[in-house]
Amino acid sequence: MLSFNGTTCDLYAEMNAEALAGDIRSRLYAEGVRMSLLTLVVTDPLWWVAIAHTVDGDSGAKAEEAVRAAEMAAALKAVPTPGTSEVLTACRATGRRVAVVGDTCVPAMESYLDLHGLRHLVGPVIGRDHRHPTTETPGFDLLWIAASALNAEPSDCTLISVSSDELVVASDAGLQGLGVVSKYDKRKHLAASTADSAVVSSMRQLAEALMSVPITTPPPAQIAGL
């Protein structure tokens, strides 16, 4: 499994998430929803989408539509992380099935993959559309749905991600984890996220390792050359 935002591309770099969160918050306030001043520091638009859904269905739908529109626009400008195409090509060449997973709307993810000629290299695309809106960080649900879509057990799957938080969730969900060093998390943070997570320096290094390690060798640590 390949995590979408941050790993495949930096979608949020093309979005003003703080302004989007502020717009949703202001709309809710205008509708008469009163909130603690502490919520002013929350700049995650998806958190506000979840809050809007607790108000009523119409508020939730409007907030979701605002975020989806921003994600669709950002998908047209997002640039692939160097090595992404090589990783997906290596997976295809070695018989590894790939699902792309992320807390982003599926149409934006599909649009991005199509735009950069990557869609044919992946199978299921599992996004926010597959889960119930919640203020909690996406947990096991999307990963388990992706594993099911791949007709695989979670224990047979590996999540590739630049986020140590996502690697922790993957481990708790029964998946193996493989971290990619980035501006978001350094090697020591990724390596410390779980006891069984391996780390590579870049997507290109991962692609080279995938081509040299048979699919019958499951541990991510061996793929990473550790």
Side-chain angles (χ1 to χ4, degrees), residues 5-6 10 18 40 46 51 56 61 85 110 117 125 142 150-151 156-157 179 182 196 200 203 207 210:
N5 187 37
D10 191 352
E18 184 173 355
L40 293 175
L46 295 182
I51 292 298
D56 58 54
S85 178
E110 294 272 13
V125 176
L142 293 183
L150 289 170
N151 294 315
D156 294 328
C157 299
S182 72
D196 56 355
V200 293
M203 292 287 275
L210 287 168

Side-chain angles (χ1 to χ4, degrees), residues 26-193:
S26 297
R27 184 180 302 157
L28 291 174
Y29 191 84
E31 292 174 358
V33 179
R34 296 297 176 258
M35 296 159 281
S36 166
L37 288 175
L38 294 177
T39 62
L40 293 175
V41 303
V42 181
T43 58
D44 180 1
L46 295 182
W47 189 90
W48 285 104
V49 169
I51 292 298
H53 275 286
T54 67
V55 175
D56 58 54
D58 186 55
S59 295
K62 289 179 180 177
E64 172 65 30
E65 183 55 37
V67 174
R68 288 170 71 92
E71 289 174 338
M72 290 297 292
L76 298 177
K77 298 182 288 184
V79 178
T81 300
T84 297
S85 178
E86 289 94 323
V87 166
L88 292 176
T89 299
C91 287
R92 168 64 67 87
T94 56
R96 292 176 167 92
R97 293 174 295 156
V98 179
V100 174
V101 185
D103 202 23
T104 304
C105 72
V106 170
M109 297 164 73
E110 294 272 13
S111 176
Y112 164 84
L113 293 169
D114 283 334
L115 182 63
H116 296 285
L118 302 174
R119 185 63 185 91
H120 70 288
L121 296 173
V122 306
V125 176
I126 308 299
R128 190 171 65 252
D129 318 56
H130 293 84
R131 73 176 181 88
H132 182 72
T134 172
T135 56
E136 299 296 325
T137 300
F140 305 162
D141 47 2
L142 293 183
L143 298 179
W144 283 343
I145 292 169
S148 177
L150 289 170
N151 294 315
E153 294 296 324
S155 59
D156 294 328
C157 299
T158 298
L159 178 70
I160 300 169
S161 175
V162 299
S163 166
S164 57
D165 289 341
E166 290 185 356
L167 294 181
V168 170
V169 171
S171 179
D172 290 344
L175 283 73
Q176 301 172 82
L178 205 160
V180 181
V181 176
S182 72
K183 64 181 181 181
Y184 296 104
D185 264 321
K186 296 181 179 180
R187 178 179 289 272
K188 64 179 182 179
H189 296 143
L190 293 167
S193 58

